[in-house]
Amino acid sequence: MNHEHQTRVEHFATLKSKYKATDYEDSSPASLLYLILRKADLGIQIIEVEVIWLIDHQLLQTLKVVREQYRQREKELKQLENEFEQLTYKYTTTTFHGYWKSTPLYFILRRLDSGNKLTGSEIKWLQYCGYTEIITIAKEIEHFAKLKAKYQATKDKDSSPDSRLYGILKRLDNKERLHDSDITWLNEQELFETLAIFQQQETANQAEFAQLKDKYKATKHSNSSLSSPLYLILKNLETDQPLSTSELDWLEANQLIETLDIVRELEQKRHFVELKAKYKASQYEDSSPSSHLYKVLKKIESEHPLGEPDINFLKKRKLTDTITIAQDKYAATLKSKIELGDKLEESEVNWLKENEQENIIAIAQAKHFATLKSKYDVSDYQDKSPSSPLYAILQKLKKAERLEPTDVAWLEENKIKRHQSNYGYYGGREEGYKLFSGKIWNTYHKIEAKFYEQEYQRTGNKWNLPNASSHWRKADQPKQALKLTENLNFDKIKENKLKSALLTTRGGAFRDIHELKKAEKCALKAIEYQPSSHHPYTLMGAICFERGQYSKGEDWFEKAIQRGASPRDQDAEMKRVVKNAKDENKRREVVEYLLKKDPQRYAWAKSYEKKSKKKGKGQGKR
């Protein structure tokens, strides 16, 4: 019998003893019983034919032991699984199902739970698998163990970071004061060595508090308890930490004025250091808030330009980088202002010129020009260059400055190709009309009207009144013209020519607001005062045409021509009558009359005839 066979025989005998099958006579390793017992001993569940075989051979006691062992094994496996789940719940938020048998995680968590330090390879495995939270807890456990050793608290066996002791030791390590409840707890846990260290720390903190109070001029505050808010405030000051609003309020409430002065000085110093770093002036050694450099840097920070004295100050100290940054920053501020649509002040434009920032000036002017063109409704004017005469003209209008005759001539000569809405008779605009129309026209005449009003108030010369009135009418504000001439005492005016001029312009204003009776009264009175002037006759002709009295109107126009009026004056009034007609029927009637009388002279009226017909068709469809 060889050695291997002998070994199996002995193993079989051992298994029969273990599973209460010694009465079974066959001891051959070839026996079926040996197969069944080997499987059972390896934890492999026996199958039904094997159960029947044991029953047939009256090995009931053996079957009972096998089944009990299997139950115990299942129980142990379940217990291991439950322990694994508890550990994962404790150290991670990840859920594991049926995973515990083949993962190193079980072993790692068990090591952690027993307070042992993880190996480098274990940490690498956790990192590879993404278990960062477990690594974090492992570090906390390691930190906890170090603190326990440092503060002589190793007799406490709890290694969990959730332990109350961990929080106490961290406060101790940060030199924070323990709560009374913490001290009581340490006594209850008989951690007297830890308490002794705390007492030593308290004594040192008391001494530190006294020194800090003296250093930061807070000795008038009598409370020396380490629980006083002042202790934490002074510690923050000592470590150069900015104070919160509530801490500043506490100092003020407790009237620690000298401490507050120190705080403000420290804040200014800190701010000064930050500004020096930001604006490349750190080589300047003086960090006192009283330094002129601090004022200069604050000026740069607040986006203000540096004056010549400040620039010279920086040059003398060779802070050329600071000058460059300051100029670039202010230039960028002005550029941003332009991009937001804000107009630059004259001082800002001068700064740009002095610092050779022509590109930004060009942007500003182009932006401003575009804004002015939009304001005066001439955005379609093609020339966008700030060198355009229009830009200078619009700037004058914006400032309410009078235009030069050359400006007016330029506006008369240049046109804009876009249909514009009507701005009254004088300033109405159509496609191809001169720039001297619309809002530009109205603004110009408003400025002129105000100029002549001021001249009248300055000199008392009443000839300024008809001029002002005429401009108010052209600015499409006839009521302003009437207001200007309503309280005049004509008995005190000696010149009949002046009386006639005033009444003519007043009558024209009444005509503008369709009060034709009052307009006629003024015109006739003006003729009485100066029968040789053609202006009131022209006014009467226009009034008659607006009433539909065309023959009578023609007579008045003829009288005006006899007294020096130009046929163009009559044509201008005709255009105005057509344009200002109250309704389409009235306009059509005037147009038909004019075209019938002289189709060549009044050819311009055809456009109104076409418009009138279109509107008539549209009304018919409705």
Side-chain angles (χ1 to χ4, degrees), residues 320-513:
T320 52
D321 287 344
T322 307
I323 296 171
T324 303
I325 294 170
Q327 290 177 330
D328 289 347
K329 183 178 176 69
Y330 188 59
T333 300
L334 296 183
K335 188 176 181 182
S336 176
K337 185 177 180 180
I338 295 163
E339 288 168 349
L340 290 171
D342 297 331
K343 185 178 180 296
L344 296 185
E345 302 293 333
E346 188 175 347
S347 61
E348 293 170 333
V349 174
N350 289 337
W351 185 91
L352 290 170
K353 289 177 181 177
E354 290 167 7
N355 289 276
E356 300 178 353
Q357 298 284 346
E358 285 80 5
N359 59 328
I360 298 179
I361 293 173
I363 294 169
Q365 290 176 335
K367 190 86 174 178
H368 188 222
F369 189 16
T371 302
L372 289 177
K373 285 204 290 184
S374 176
K375 175 179 173 67
Y376 291 100
D377 212 5
V378 289
S379 295
D380 285 350
Y381 185 69
Q382 295 300 309
D383 191 350
K384 296 180 180 180
S385 171
S387 62
S388 166
L390 180 60
Y391 182 40
I393 291 169
L394 295 182
Q395 287 183 88
K396 287 182 182 179
L397 294 178
K398 180 72 168 56
K399 295 175 185 176
E401 294 179 4
R402 296 182 76 200
L403 298 186
E404 298 294 333
T406 52
D407 295 330
V408 176
W410 188 89
L411 289 171
E412 289 275 12
E413 291 169 2
N414 287 273
K415 294 184 178 182
I416 184 170
K417 296 179 180 180
R418 185 169 67 85
H419 178 73
Q420 286 283 333
S421 57
N422 188 17
Y423 288 94
Y425 163 66
Y426 293 106
R429 186 194 298 171
E430 293 177 3
E431 186 176 358
Y433 262 62
K434 294 172 283 192
L435 279 168
F436 198 35
S437 57
K439 288 184 179 179
I440 292 177
W441 169 280
N442 283 358
T443 304
Y444 164 76
H445 286 293
K446 184 177 178 181
I447 292 169
E448 289 295 304
K450 287 183 177 180
F451 167 76
Y452 284 111
E453 279 189 18
Q454 290 166 358
E455 283 296 293
Y456 167 66
Q457 291 166 2
R458 185 177 68 85
T459 65
N461 185 346
K462 288 187 174 61
W463 272 107
N464 287 302
L465 293 177
N467 286 331
S469 176
S470 175
H471 283 295
W472 278 125
R473 288 183 63 207
K474 289 175 181 177
D476 205 21
Q477 296 188 43
K479 289 183 179 179
Q480 281 293 114
L482 291 171
K483 185 178 179 182
L484 187 65
T485 57
E486 65 185 350
N487 293 319
L488 290 175
N489 187 342
F490 281 86
D491 293 334
K492 291 186 178 181
I493 299 174
K494 293 180 181 179
E495 289 183 73
N496 284 341
K497 185 178 179 181
L498 175 58
K499 289 180 184 179
S500 179
L502 287 167
L503 285 166
T504 301
T505 189
R506 185 169 174 79
F510 277 124
R511 178 196 163 198
D512 292 340
I513 60 174

Side-chain angles (χ1 to χ4, degrees), residues 6 117 175 247 251 409 545:
Q6 183 59 38
K117 183 180 177 181
K175 295 187 178 179
E247 288 173 328
L251 290 173
F545 259 82

Side-chain angles (χ1 to χ4, degrees), residues 26 80 158 235 246 250 288 423 523:
D26 189 354
L80 286 170
D158 188 354
K235 282 179 70 177
S246 60
W250 189 92
S288 169
Y423 288 94

